[in-house]
Amino acid sequence: MEAAGMGGRMPGRRQVKNMNTGGSPKECPVCMTGYDGTVQRPRTLPCGHTVCTLCIDQLKVQGRVTCLECHVSHAVPEGEQLPVNYSVEALIRMMRDAEVAPAAALASPPPSAGEGKGAAAATGKKEAAGLSKKMRSFLQEQEATVVAAITACREAQSQLDQYQTTLAGWGKRQQQLEDRLLGLVDQSRSARELLQQEESRAVAKEEELKKGEQGLQAVLETLRTLTTEQEAGAAMPEVFRCTGEAEQAVEECRECFPDASTVTTARKVNVASSAALEAVQAALETLATEELRPQSDPDSTVMDRLHLIWTGSLTVEDLRSLTQPARRLLEAGRVFAVHQAEGQRRHARISLEAGQLYLHVLKDHPPPRGAATLQLSEVVPPSPPCKVFLDLSWPGSAPRRVEFRLSPDTPRGRQFLLLCTGQRGPSYVNTRLYGVLGKGEAGECVLGGDYESNNGRGSSVLLPGLDEGDYRWSGRAGDVFGQEWNDRTRHECGHFGINTRDDQDGVGAPLVFGEVVDGLHVVAEAAQHRYVKKVTVADCGVVL
């Protein structure tokens, strides 16, 4: 298991054994080096365990240190040092004094007494005792340097392992993309072959009709030169044959052409291929206009520098799973959806708020340099069911969000979605609520959605056949419904209404195409505002 508190450093097997079995109290349980009174003084963690100063520095990550014995994380106090364990230092002095006295009193043992591990340990202690304090301090500093180098190596290995995993993942996605592109090419080739076969059939039929026409012309000339009934009778079989063949050829032409299956297949492949090419062209244009990436901090990790270089590699999967690169870009406000229509390229910001992704309305200004972009069609469904939002505000009130769930199979739901994103140009941004029906009574509702006149007089019809859909009647609070006619202009109306109170008589409103799922209290407060026409849509978009 990786020791996060060590910044990648892991104690060796011998160290773990020493820590778990309670090694010598004179030695640090991490590096197994004896404590001293200078650079490796014993320091006490809040959990009660003791570690030397150098190991504390190695274990410290972002102002915190994790005990390797009980795995509790502690904050390092101001001054970057934990208190010295004076009791341990006193115990070490007592143990050293106790070792020196017998050694001085006893004579050197015979060679046989020094054999074995005990003799080797004693010899090592004598050698260590022969080092000067300055030399021991120097050696300890060098040991700390070696430990730091080992830690750096392990950290670099970990970063390279993450880098290899990321590259392998990208390679797999690239292979999948290549397979999809090859599949699209195969479909395009098959569609072209079908068109060539259909063209050959049409050419053959045209030749047949030309020959039939020539035969009819000859018959016509013959009919014009006949002078006797005997000649006419002899010519009639040829006339009947030629006209019959011509009529049959014409009928076959009408029945067999065009081949609906061939044309439909070719059309679908053409649309899919064109969309793919437009997406590729848009991506290439974005890459061509981007500035060079800024140089990263030399102290940053391999993955940090990788994310800085490849911010444009963000995928829908990264976005929806909120990978670390995606989260960083979202928090920095650098994720946008791109929509291109009629030669106009517009961008919609994607935000992360309380763990939920929101796509805001399309705008004309370009995103910041180095922003990650996705195609709008990748993140927004072409039609409901889906969730959208309106941010309502009025004087003295900050914008407050209302979220809606739009029902499927309703043109009014599709129009509401298009006006929340602005894909067709107009949107609900800066439109106002323009009326309240039954204020304070059962069945109360607010009216809005006039993006043309902003006063209830415009038709605001974005899609044809708004009322041709799978609608229902309802008088329940929170339901969103459409208006059939504009009472002033007597034309089809694309406005919407929101029920803020239940209709007690059960009649309700027709053309219901959605419901408020969050923020109905905001709409209810807006309905009670003294001047409802001052309630404005500050922002709108889609809940992803």
Side-chain angles (χ1 to χ4, degrees):
M1 181 178 65
E2 185 175 356
M6 295 183 66
R9 178 184 178 186
M10 290 286 289
R13 183 174 301 177
R14 183 185 171 198
Q15 293 170 320
V16 173
K17 181 178 179 181
N18 183 281
M19 290 160 55
N20 293 338
T21 58
S24 172
K26 297 187 298 181
E27 297 178 348
C28 172
V30 178
C31 63
M32 294 189 302
T33 302
Y35 295 120
D36 62 22
T38 55
V39 296
Q40 285 191 275
R41 302 188 71 179
R43 296 190 179 272
T44 303
L45 299 174
C47 60
H49 295 108
T50 302
V51 183
C52 74
T53 305
L54 290 178
C55 288
I56 290 286
D57 294 337
Q58 292 295 327
L59 293 169
K60 189 164 42 181
V61 176
Q62 295 182 348
R64 301 188 68 84
V65 63
T66 299
C67 177
L68 294 186
E69 295 202 52
C70 63
H71 306 291
V72 176
S73 177
H74 308 289
V76 178
E78 295 184 5
E80 301 294 322
Q81 289 293 356
L82 291 162
V84 174
N85 192 329
Y86 295 105
S87 297
V88 171
E89 288 191 333
L91 177 62
I92 292 173
R93 284 195 297 270
M94 291 175 60
M95 294 177 67
R96 286 177 178 170
D97 292 341
E99 291 175 355
V100 171
L106 296 175
S108 299
S112 59
E115 296 178 356
K117 296 181 180 179
T123 302
K125 289 182 178 180
K126 289 181 180 180
E127 291 177 355
L131 296 174
S132 67
K133 184 176 181 180
K134 184 175 181 180
M135 179 56 70
R136 286 200 302 270
S137 176
F138 173 75
L139 292 177
Q140 289 166 357
E141 290 177 0
Q142 297 307 308
E143 182 178 347
T145 302
V146 173
V147 170
I150 292 173
T151 300
C153 288
R154 290 175 178 174
E155 289 178 348
Q157 292 176 44
S158 176
Q159 293 175 29
L160 289 176
D161 183 63
Q162 294 180 51
Y163 182 48
Q164 293 175 55
T165 302
T166 302
L167 292 177
W170 285 350
K172 183 177 180 180
R173 288 208 299 257
Q174 197 68 25
Q175 182 63 53
Q176 293 172 348
L177 177 61
E178 184 178 338
D179 293 341
R180 290 171 59 189
L181 290 174
L182 290 175
L184 187 60
V185 171
D186 290 340
Q187 291 179 16
S188 178
R189 185 181 294 111
S190 298
R192 179 168 53 81
E193 291 173 354
L194 286 175
L195 291 174
Q196 290 174 346
Q197 293 173 8
E198 184 71 353
E199 183 181 3
S200 299
R201 289 180 62 233
V203 169
K205 183 58 67 176
E206 183 182 12
E207 290 296 327
E208 182 181 346
L209 288 171
K210 286 181 179 179
K211 290 180 180 179
E213 182 185 355
Q214 291 173 358
L216 290 173
Q217 289 288 352
V219 168
L220 182 61
E221 292 295 330
T222 301
L223 290 176
R224 289 173 177 174
T225 59
L226 294 177
T227 57
T228 66
E229 291 184 3
Q230 185 177 3
E231 290 177 350
M236 283 305 103
E238 183 65 16
V239 172
F240 294 150
R241 184 187 67 79
C242 289
T243 55
E245 290 178 354
E247 290 174 355
Q248 182 180 356
V250 171
E251 185 65 24
E252 289 177 354
C253 180
R254 291 172 178 170
E255 291 180 355
C256 299
F257 299 95
D259 186 328
S261 176
T262 296
V263 174
T264 301
T265 300
R267 174 61 180 165
K268 289 181 178 179
V269 173
N270 182 274
V271 170
S273 301
S274 299
L277 286 174
E278 288 178 3
V280 171
Q281 185 63 34
L284 291 175
E285 290 177 359
T286 301
L287 291 174
T289 56
E290 279 192 353
E291 294 178 350
L292 292 175
R293 304 287 182 191
Q295 292 296 321
S296 60
D297 184 349
D299 294 330
S300 60
T301 67
V302 172
M303 297 306 294
D304 288 338
R305 290 192 291 273
L306 180 64
H307 295 149
L308 185 65
I309 296 170
W310 197 298
T311 54
S313 68
L314 189 68
T315 65
V316 177
E317 290 76 14
D318 294 332
L319 186 66
R320 296 195 183 282
S321 59
L322 286 179
T323 61
Q324 189 62 32
R327 185 179 291 274
R328 288 180 181 176
L329 290 168
L330 286 165
E331 292 172 350
R334 301 175 74 84
V335 180
F336 289 80
V338 182
H339 179 66
Q340 188 161 354
E342 299 179 356
Q344 184 180 18
R345 186 178 176 87
R346 304 167 71 204
H347 298 82
R349 182 173 63 89
I350 299 176
S351 65
L352 178 63
E353 304 172 31
Q356 178 63 59
L357 292 170
Y358 294 92
L359 179 135
H360 300 259
V361 68
L362 286 160
K363 294 185 178 180
D364 295 333
H365 59 265
R369 295 292 185 184
T373 57
L374 300 164
Q375 292 299 311
L376 187 75
S377 58
E378 292 183 287
V379 292
V380 176
S383 61
C386 61
K387 290 173 67 177
V388 296
F389 71 89
L390 301 178
D391 286 349
L392 301 182
S393 67
W394 54 86
S397 173
R400 298 161 71 186
R401 184 152 296 174
V402 184
E403 295 185 6
F404 306 82
R405 180 182 291 108
L406 303 180
S407 305
D409 304 323
T410 58
R412 288 182 180 271
R414 288 195 291 274
Q415 170 163 304
F416 202 92
L417 172 61
L418 291 173
L419 288 169
C420 282
T421 60
Q423 295 178 63
R424 297 286 184 90
S427 73
Y428 285 134
V429 172
N430 295 327
T431 63
R432 296 190 295 268
L433 301 182
Y434 61 80
V436 181
L437 300 180
K439 187 171 184 177
E441 303 174 357
E444 175 188 79
C445 64
V446 298
L447 305 176
D450 183 5
Y451 64 83
E452 289 182 341
S453 301
N454 216 5
N455 56 12
R457 298 181 181 180
S459 62
S460 300
V461 175
L462 189 64
L463 298 176
L466 285 179
D467 299 340
E468 300 173 1
D470 187 14
Y471 295 101
R472 59 184 175 88
W473 284 71
S474 176
R476 185 180 60 187
D479 280 340
V480 185
F481 60 90
Q483 290 185 267
E484 296 181 271
W485 296 95
N486 189 310
D487 294 334
R488 292 176 177 149
T489 63
R490 307 306 299 172
H491 291 114
E492 187 179 21
C493 181
H495 305 168
F496 66 81
I498 305 174
N499 291 328
T500 53
R501 300 191 182 193
D502 291 333
D503 186 352
Q504 294 180 354
D505 60 14
V507 176
L511 302 176
V512 174
F513 61 87
E515 61 179 339
V516 176
V517 294
D518 190 22
L520 181 59
H521 64 286
V522 177
V523 186
E525 288 183 33
Q528 300 305 313
H529 195 271
R530 184 177 181 182
Y531 300 106
V532 70
K533 292 184 178 180
K534 292 188 177 182
V535 178
T536 304
V537 178
D539 194 9
C540 57
V542 181
V543 183
L544 301 180

